[in-house]
Amino acid sequence: MNYNITCIPGDGIGPEIVAAAKKVLVKTANTYGHHFEFKDILMGGASIDVHGIPLTDEAIADAKAADAVLMGSIGGDTNTSPWYKLEPSKRPEAGLLKIRKELGLFANLRPALLYSELSDACVLKKETSDAGFDLIIVRELTGGLYFGERKTITENGVRKAVDTLTYDENEIRRVAVKAFEIAKKRRKKVTSVDKANVLDSSRLWRAVVNEVAADYPDITVEHMLVDNCAMQLVKDPAQFDVILTENMFGDILSDEASMITGSIGMLASASLNETKFGLYEPSHGSAPDIAGKDIANPIATILSAAMMLRFSLDLSKEADAIEAAVKKALKDGYRTGDIYTEGTTKVGCSQMGDIICDNI
Ligand code: IPM
Ligand code: MG
């Protein structure tokens, strides 16, 4: 079969990790008799440098026309990059938020699991890492603080900034349904994370999640406050199956969840709308400090490509093959710098891509 994939290499390490993932996709296509037609679009700083804005209408149209979108990372050093002298709506991150909104990608799936090969790189206590964990964060992606009204004003000579956290019940319900559907195919437990002891938006969140839960009698639902969840993730991550949460909490908890797997360089993600269409990106950022040095870890992007095959293209056998190829590379002792431990073989970004290709 032929598939059209729009790629967003982006900024920083983005182009290197997307190049590695494309190689893996090409090898997979050749092995299984498919063809992937790639089209690159600009987003973030790369688009600002050419067009003056982080995302053009043409780029959005190219993304919409594809079967799926594969992204690297966007953004630069917020202290030194000239992109951050622009007004906020013209900065790199505005491009990412815009594409999420334009494509209606309300559900962000971020699986975090501990590869036994990486238990030495895991920052948790040995008995906790020995117990292992396999959880997935379902993060609401097009609402909440990220998209609420915001302003910065001066009142009586005092500067003041306002961000608004809004959710309506439909936004909560559709992402909750996704989480319960995912839980159905896993260990049948949803932990909904909120701050219902303080926030109205969280109290509505909890009420709507309970309404959705009534349609899923086989699934255990529990509610957890976000501060407690942050603690439980390092104390006992094995208790979690599906974590469902709003945009900002999900942003923060997913970085934490990735770090307990050994490195943020391992965490893939899928952003989905109501159809099979999705945008797939590593959960990590553009790491401008190591860009262009061929030392970044491409695994999160390669695993995101595997998620793309599974969720958007219905190629689950091929997705399994990529995941197995990643596992084999780790088992054979190959590591990029972020997951390197003594006794393993340190490789660069491109070489890690080649090794994974060879395993397919
Ligand atoms: C992420 C990133 C983005 C977010 C940034 C780059 C806007 O941190 O995908 O987690 O906060 O959503
Ligand atoms: Mg983040």
Side-chain angles (χ1 to χ4, degrees):
M1 279 273 285
N2 281 356
Y3 301 93
N4 292 316
I5 298 171
T6 293
C7 294
I8 307 175
D11 309 319
I13 57 170
E16 303 161 50
I17 54 182
V18 167
K22 273 186 184 167
K23 273 196 298 206
V24 172
L25 284 171
V26 169
K27 178 70 190 287
T28 308
N30 292 342
T31 309
Y32 290 87
H34 306 297
H35 176 70
F36 296 127
E37 191 66 41
F38 297 111
K39 175 161 194 183
D40 284 357
I41 60 172
L42 295 176
M43 193 168 96
S47 174
I48 295 172
D49 290 345
V50 176
H51 301 293
I53 51 171
L55 184 68
T56 62
D57 290 344
E58 293 73 44
I60 295 172
D62 282 336
K64 281 186 178 160
D67 294 308
V69 181
L70 180 67
M71 186 189 135
S73 51
I74 53 104
D77 185 327
T78 49
N79 292 311
T80 56
S81 165
W83 299 328
Y84 296 92
K85 300 224 158 62
L86 299 167
E87 62 173 273
S89 67
K90 299 224 167 92
R91 292 179 193 172
E93 287 71 12
L96 179 58
L97 299 189
K98 184 162 186 195
I99 204 164
R100 287 174 177 168
K101 196 71 169 180
E102 287 279 337
L103 303 179
L105 307 171
F106 63 86
N108 182 215
L109 282 36
R110 297 189 161 180
L113 60 145
L114 188 63
Y115 289 87
S116 50
E117 293 79 12
L118 293 187
S119 56
D120 283 352
C122 175
V123 293
L124 301 176
K125 274 194 186 152
K126 191 172 174 333
E127 60 264 32
T128 316
S129 66
D130 284 350
F133 60 89
D134 176 356
L135 61 90
I136 181 164
I137 296 181
V138 178
R139 167 189 176 194
E140 200 291 325
L141 202 61
T142 52
L145 276 171
Y146 277 64
F147 293 93
E149 218 179 293
R150 68 177 100 257
K151 62 182 176 193
T152 305
I153 51 172
T154 303
E155 249 176 27
N156 305 326
V158 178
R159 285 173 302 158
K160 179 172 165 180
V162 185
D163 295 286
T164 336
L165 202 182
T166 315
Y167 272 108
D168 71 37
E169 57 179 312
N170 298 328
E171 291 175 297
I172 301 168
R173 190 169 295 111
R174 63 184 182 177
V175 73
V177 167
K178 275 265 195 242
F180 279 86
E181 287 296 325
I182 289 166
K184 234 161 75 176
K185 298 188 199 121
R186 293 177 47 105
R187 300 192 310 278
K188 300 193 169 42
K189 179 176 173 191
V190 172
T191 305
S192 176
V193 174
D194 61 36
K195 189 71 186 173
N197 52 346
V198 178
L199 303 175
D200 263 19
S201 55
S202 283
R203 288 187 272 268
L204 179 64
W205 184 278
R206 208 175 262 219
V208 175
V209 169
N210 280 334
E211 287 162 23
V212 172
D215 294 333
Y216 295 88
D218 297 347
I219 294 181
T220 308
V221 61
E222 70 178 14
H223 301 277
M224 190 179 277
L225 298 174
V226 62
D227 46 353
N228 184 26
C229 182
M231 183 175 76
Q232 295 298 331
L233 269 173
V234 287
K235 194 170 161 232
D236 176 21
Q239 70 183 285
F240 296 111
D241 179 18
V242 177
I243 294 178
L244 162 67
T245 192
E246 65 90 48
N247 203 345
M248 179 79 145
F249 298 158
D251 178 46
I252 297 167
L253 293 176
S254 62
D255 266 31
E256 187 187 2
S258 68
M259 203 54 222
I260 59 173
T261 69
S263 166
I264 194 165
M266 299 294 299
L267 202 77
S269 111
S271 305
L272 306 173
N273 65 15
E274 245 118 22
T275 72
K276 278 194 331 202
F277 182 82
L279 179 147
Y280 298 82
E281 55 168 319
S283 297
H284 59 71
S286 60
D289 52 321
I290 59 163
K293 296 187 179 154
D294 194 29
I295 57 172
N297 184 350
I299 292 180
T301 316
I302 291 168
L303 292 173
S304 299
M307 288 183 91
M308 174 177 82
L309 300 190
R310 193 183 304 287
F311 289 113
S312 286
L313 309 184
D314 282 328
L315 300 175
S316 46
K317 189 170 50 158
E318 292 78 350
D320 289 346
I322 294 178
E323 287 164 4
V326 168
K327 275 207 183 101
K328 181 163 185 336
L330 296 174
K331 203 167 180 335
D332 292 344
Y334 296 110
R335 303 281 189 276
T336 42
D338 56 316
I339 47 175
Y340 174 78
T341 45
E342 222 182 279
T344 60
T345 311
K346 199 185 267 188
V347 296
C349 177
S350 158
Q351 202 187 345
M352 181 60 103
D354 291 336
I355 291 163
I356 293 169
C357 281
D358 288 345
N359 291 343
I360 289 173

